[in-house]
Amino acid sequence: MSAEYRKIIHIDMDAFYASVEQRDFPEYRGKPIAVGGGSKRGVVAAASYEARKFGVYSAMPSVTAKRRCPHLIFVKPRFLIYREVSLQIRAIFHQYTNLVEPLSLDEAYLDVTTNFKKMPSATLIAKAIRQQIKAETQLTASAGVSFNKFLAKVASDVNKPDGLKVITPQEAAAFIDKLPIKKFHGIGKVTAAKMNKMGIYTGADLRQRTEQELLKKFGKVGRYYYHIVRGNDQRKVQPNRIRKSLSAENTFFDDITAPEDLLNALKKITETVAERLKKIDAAGKTVTVKIKYYDFTQTTRSKTVNQYLQHANEIFPIVQHLIQHPAWPAKPVRLLGVGLSKLDTDEPQQLGRQLTFDF
């Protein structure tokens, strides 16, 4: 770990979409609500903390959520309102620093090593920002404060909701050692399960593994695991993150199986992607088709070409090829997506990812 420590804050709004709905509609306060569609094809975009007590979480199928919480209230998303509130919160961040890296509508990193308020304490800045968010939006935010992005991100989740956690350089090693692997930012469920099979359950277990061993087991990302468990994360807060991909997807009310239906659906999705590319004057070289089956298993198929693609009539022939190769989907399909990556755009991601569309 470097002797020159940065001061990084990770701000994460608490159950953002659901909290906005409870703020604007008093009848929802104190009740389990899920923002999203309540139909059999619906997906939970966000769940209130009252709903989370029943095991309802974002990205969960609505039928599962309803089964876990029979009195769950489904609320239609209002993304324009969420964007407006997000911009309001973003404006608060910029009163302290221009080094703000949005991750989505409801979370961001801030580098306050030097700041407009000339405040020496990142902890006091985090407290001030949370108070200001509460005063101006009537919403609560949780914050993590540390000397790198990894620890700040993990810390923001420790005392949720409406909490603050600080991890100093002196506390980092002990904190990481006790941290369950599933809590490591950057380690998903599949990787965590793989690590558990290797006898790795905590940071202390992970730190016993050599870099070479982790590279062999997990590829290039093994190097990231090796360094973060030692508190080493040199990633900078990037205020102008470059958009690396653009995509659209559609969940069907009824599963589809016929090749004609699959192609018709993919054509419409491809046209949506092309429209979005045109809006930001972007083009890309890698086309990806996402297929989610009736049983919620999913796969992706990708192809990279030499020239940049922007128009639907350029992208769709590749999409047609991908849906058929190596074979047409063998199971009924509930969702299809089309994405384009390796973009040529320099456009900053002003509002981060949108849960309902990007993958």
Side-chain angles (χ1 to χ4, degrees), residues 57-73:
Y57 296 100
S58 61
M60 176 180 287
S62 297
V63 288
T64 304
K66 193 72 176 175
R67 189 163 59 245
R68 292 187 177 185
C69 182
H71 55 295
L72 186 65
I73 302 169

Side-chain angles (χ1 to χ4, degrees), residues 143-145 150-159 164-167 175:
V145 179
F150 168 72
L151 286 168
K153 170 78 172 177
V154 173
S156 67
D157 198 45
V158 172
N159 292 320
L164 172 66
K165 172 66 177 176
V166 180
I167 302 173
F175 176 86

Side-chain angles (χ1 to χ4, degrees), residues 197-216:
K197 287 182 180 178
M198 295 168 60
I200 301 173
Y201 295 92
T202 66
D205 297 330
L206 180 59
R207 197 156 46 80
Q208 299 303 314
R209 306 301 174 118
T210 66
E211 184 174 7
Q212 212 50 41
E213 184 180 2
L214 294 174
L215 283 168
K216 185 178 179 181

Side-chain angles (χ1 to χ4, degrees), residues 175-244:
F175 176 86
I176 294 171
D177 275 357
K178 294 178 182 177
L179 190 67
I181 282 299
K182 63 182 181 181
K183 295 284 188 180
F184 272 63
H185 178 58
I187 295 181
K189 288 182 180 179
V190 174
T191 303
K194 187 175 179 180
M195 287 189 175
N196 289 167
K197 287 182 180 178
M198 295 168 60
I200 301 173
Y201 295 92
T202 66
D205 297 330
L206 180 59
R207 197 156 46 80
Q208 299 303 314
R209 306 301 174 118
T210 66
E211 184 174 7
Q212 212 50 41
E213 184 180 2
L214 294 174
L215 283 168
K216 185 178 179 181
K217 291 285 186 181
F218 302 101
K220 290 181 181 179
V221 75
R223 181 170 287 112
Y224 169 75
Y225 302 151
Y226 178 82
H227 285 288
I228 59 170
V229 79
R230 288 162 174 78
N232 298 324
D233 181 4
Q234 301 304 317
R235 294 174 301 154
K236 294 181 179 179
V237 171
Q238 299 176 317
N240 295 313
R241 288 198 306 136
I242 303 302
R243 181 185 281 274
K244 296 180 180 179

Side-chain angles (χ1 to χ4, degrees), residues 256-266 316 323-324 328-329 336:
I256 59 175
T257 54
E260 183 181 355
D261 293 337
L262 293 168
L263 289 174
N264 286 337
L266 285 168
F316 188 60
I323 195 65
Q324 298 176 54
W328 287 97
L336 286 171

Side-chain angles (χ1 to χ4, degrees), residues 102-143:
L103 300 180
S104 60
L105 293 180
D106 62 343
E107 61 175 319
Y109 289 113
L110 291 74
D111 187 330
V112 296
T113 309
T114 58
N115 57 85
F116 299 143
K117 305 283 188 179
K118 301 190 185 306
M119 297 170 66
S121 169
T123 304
L124 291 179
I125 292 174
K127 287 180 179 178
I129 288 173
R130 291 176 60 241
Q131 289 170 357
Q132 199 169 342
I133 289 173
K134 184 68 178 292
E136 295 185 20
T137 70
Q138 293 77 57
L139 300 171
T140 63
S142 294

